[in-house]
Amino acid sequence: MAKVEFRHVVKRFGDVEVIPDLNLTIEDGEFVALLGPSGCGKSTSLFILAGIYLPSGGELLFDGRVVNEVEAKDRNVGIVFQSYALYPHMTVRDNVLFPLRFKRMPREEALARVAAAGNLVQVTELLDRRPGELSGGQQQRVALARALVKEPQLLLLDEPLSNLDATLRLTMRTEIKSLQKKLGVTTVLVTHDQIEATTMADRIICLRAGRIEQIGQPDDLYRRPQSLFIAGFIGSPPINMISGEARDGVMCVGSVVFPFEGAPGAVTVGLRPEHLRFTGSGLSGRIAQLEPMGREILYVVDTVAGYLRVLEHGSIAAHAVGEPVRIGFSPDDSLVFDTACQTLVAAARVGPPA
Amino acid sequence: MSAVTDLAVERRYRAASAVRRRTNFVLFLGPAIALTFLFFVIPVLIDIAVSFTDLDRTLRISKFTTEQYQKVFRGDSRLPQVIGLTVVYVFGTLAIFNVTFGLVLALTTTSLNKVSGGFFRGVWLLPRMSPSVLYILLWLWVINPSDVGLLNQFLMPALGLARPLDLMTSAPVALIIIANGFIGASLGMIIFTAAIRGIPEHLFYAAEVDGAGTLAKIRFITLPALRWPISFVTIYQTLSLLVSFEYILLLTKGGPFYDTTVFALYVYRRAFTSGQYGYGAALALFLIVIGAAAALLGWRFFDFKRLLQHPRIEVH
Amino acid sequence: MAAPLTFNGIHSSPTAPVDWDRIAARARSMRRSKAVALYAFLIAVSLPIILPYFWLVTIAFSARTGVADTVVLWRSVAVLAPAVIAFWLAAVLARNRRQLWLGLTAIALAATAAFAWLVGPDLHLRNFIFLVEPDFASVVRSRVGAVHGAIQFPSVWRAFGNSLLIAGSQTIVVLTVASLAAYYLSRFQFPARAAMLRSLLILHAFPVLTLIVPMFLMLYWIGLLDTLFGVICVLVAFELPFAIFIMKGFFDAVPWDIEMSALTDGASRRQAFLLVVLPQVRNGLLAVAVFTFIRGWEEYIFVFTFLIRNTNWTMSLYMYYVRDDVMGVDYGVVSAVGVFYLVPSLILYVAAQRYLMQMSIGGVKG
């Protein structure tokens, strides 16, 4: 089956090893997101795919054949940069026409393709303007058109939404996703924003310091994060972490005792704010702060186990600052991690204290 | 405090401030203004005045006349040749070396890694960094018309010549163009390199991915970004080549005969070698006018508003 | 309606397979030939510059009979060229730092040994005798016989001293006057400010060489011809507009709050200038100082035209007459003087290299 494959790919810049050993397969037609904090090597991996960087070691394969030494211009890849990188001295039309210059096709056909690409991303009215006259969102669409006009076999997006304002980000998210579905082109998105990744991609590859932390569908990463890092990275507002000592069916955090199912040892429990509820029984605490967020309210509760965030639906606060409350949750929603190696202990569960 | 004493205090303060303002002006700007006036304005006036006299080797003025200008426009048979040579020299050096070769050097050295590129740029800066006398001394050795000259050491076996070449007599104009060209290329090289370094890297990446090879990248990304530096170098160096003759004077002294005497050198020779100070002044006036005009033209390149930045402290 | 774009994905359809191996191979060979071509070109055009300077140095240390002997030159090149190539190969092939240092040291040792064996015996310092012997011309005569020309040479140290005096005084005066003027233009408001800035712009670009004829006459009429003082005045005045322009740029960059706080602390504006603002533009002062000194050190045309007596000679004139007088007779001495003249220039340029870049581009639009 045709695909893109990283086989033990290494990338070094001087003495710094950004990517130690990357192994990854991307299937044809997939929309994949490379997610991770800055410096984790995601943009580097993208540039290796594009042919801008050459791997220091290992192999990159297109279609089962090694393409390490194939230059960017021969790879038929389209890329949208974070800064859009539009040629400032050319009109939009010339920008989108640029890749077709090197394909040696008759001018009418090239212009027709430019028009088609322009239609796809809705920049037809802007064809005669210059990049300097366009807004951020318009520039991004032109960059997309330029990437798509050459009918690339691979579409690469480097943090495409990070320079846009919130509303534009939402619209472009939907547009890019539907575009990809319509055209069926294999797409790799690089981002540090987990919402972008989870809303747009079919599969998310979470990277950290050049290594893959976890690969899975957005749902998997959310419900079954394999490591503390993933649990903390995915999900907004971020997950609550409680560290404690587990033995004999209980986990002790200071003076509080939680019912515990699983092997003894030092554990860290992750509890998502949306899974916590204010109930009659459970962990006791006092409301320290509340942040109204429109359709939800985020409470910060001061407990013996530390500050916990609780997310409640509704726009009207049911509790006030300083009020004593009790927090409960379902054991099925708990994520237990081994504190030492930071990995998920799948069989373990924790329940709210009595 | 009554209103009257307040007024008196204020008046005294303002008087003191005015005195301070005047002394500050004299103290800070005085020397500069004096020197500028004495050595820029007065010489121009002297030049204009002398051009209307018959000042010559005797360094005595006997009459005021316009005969120098008559000589310029009609009487000097050498002048057309000099002007023609100047045109060839300026455009030749500019086109071949200062702009084109400077560009080539900038493009090639920036394609290498930093150390190697820096090394070659350093080598090409060596002529500019050396004192002019020394640079020309090396040239004289290189073109020495015997078999110890460096050039002859290469060319005689290479071209199988029986007698050593003497570039000074056989190709003097080419000689001055190349000698000045090495110096000129380095300025273009520096300016263009700085401009190339200022181009955002991602534009090159985008072009690479779009299918552009090396030449296409130069044509579509590098050169458009160099439009301003190229015109700056062209105008600035045209003026520089028009008025400077130091290297030519040292290398060929303007010879053989007047074959390499460009206009600026011609002025010098007429004034100092032949002692015709009045005529020299008249000729020099043309250069002065061109120089002033070019300086005014160069104004376009400067961000005058930034220069004019208004001071934010008003007291003295 | 425009033809729709089709997206085939990355599978190679049987009708249009993509031969990645061939493309990769072609790319590899293209990359290599490009690198080779670049280096070959740059080395070829740089060689005409490297060789003469190298020749200057070798002859200064090796010429015996006064002839421009190239044997030593070629022998040195025969040692150095392979050494440089070996250095470069080592840098390219070394896989880690330790290998690199081992390789470089080995090559350096081998090159030094070869150099000492081949060229060493020819090296001597006798050409530098002019540094200690005041009657230069007689020294030369005693070595090579009759010497053409009847020019009497002063001691080279006198010429050196003159150059130092001219360059040094010029630097100090220019620094002082330019700093004062630039500060005032930058930080004070006064009626003719815009007009003065405009004329500064014109003056700093004006070619001063065009004024050499009236300048000569003016110095003659004032009585300053053939004096170092006259030359210094002229050089100072001609260097001034450019220096003011550069210094103003540096003064403009100093934040206003420093000065404002100095004033509120009780300083007068002059005190603020001396104590607070001037230290901030140290870089600018250094840049202008080095640049001005170099110009004074290398100045030829004006000193040639305005100085006549040989006690007033500067290094540049000394070099010129040495070349004229002993040219073709004692290359060794000429090149030794040349090296002596060149080294300070190069040292200063390298030291000022950072500032020069800023200066030549500063203020230019676009």
Side-chain angles (χ1 to χ4, degrees), chain A residues 3 28 63 65 69 151 153, chain C residues 6 10-12 21 27-28:
Chain A
K3 57 186 184 237
D28 189 22
D63 222 8
R65 321 228 30 104
E69 298 193 298
E151 291 176 4
Q153 57 181 352
Chain C
T6 56
I10 56 164
H11 29 243
S12 339
D21 294 330
R28 196 175 22 228

Side-chain angles (χ1 to χ4, degrees), chain C residues 43 47 50 53 62 73 78 81 83-84 100 109 128 139 150-152 155-156 166 179 216 230 242 268 274 312 321 325:
Chain C
I43 293 177
L47 221 49
I50 299 178
Y53 281 93
S62 70
L73 173 73
V84 168
L100 183 69
L109 286 174
F128 284 87
V139 167
I151 302 180
Q152 267 291 87
S155 150
V156 72
I166 289 182
S179 308
F216 175 84
F242 186 68
S268 73
L274 274 175
N312 278 339
Y321 286 117
D325 189 89

Side-chain angles (χ1 to χ4, degrees), chain A residues 255-272:
Chain A
S255 55
V256 185
V257 172
F258 292 78
F260 182 79
E261 236 180 78
V267 293
T268 306
V269 180
L271 294 164
R272 296 205 182 272

Side-chain angles (χ1 to χ4, degrees), chain A residues 2-4 15 28 54 62-63 65 67 69-71 74-75 112-113 116 119-120 148-149 151-153 183 185, chain C residues 1-12 18 20-21 23-28 30-32 34 97:
Chain A
K3 57 186 184 237
V4 173
D15 285 334
D28 189 22
L54 300 177
F62 280 8
D63 222 8
R65 321 228 30 104
V67 296
E69 298 193 298
V70 177
E71 291 187 354
D74 298 320
R75 291 197 190 192
R113 287 237 239 171
N119 272 334
L120 262 179
L148 293 172
V149 80
E151 291 176 4
Q153 57 181 352
L183 301 172
V185 58
Chain C
M1 194 62 226
L5 296 171
T6 56
F7 288 85
N8 287 319
I10 56 164
H11 29 243
S12 339
V18 182
W20 293 114
D21 294 330
I23 299 180
R26 190 185 52 179
R28 196 175 22 228
M30 279 244 63
R31 215 190 340 262
R32 285 200 193 128
K34 248 190 276 182
R97 201 139 265 186

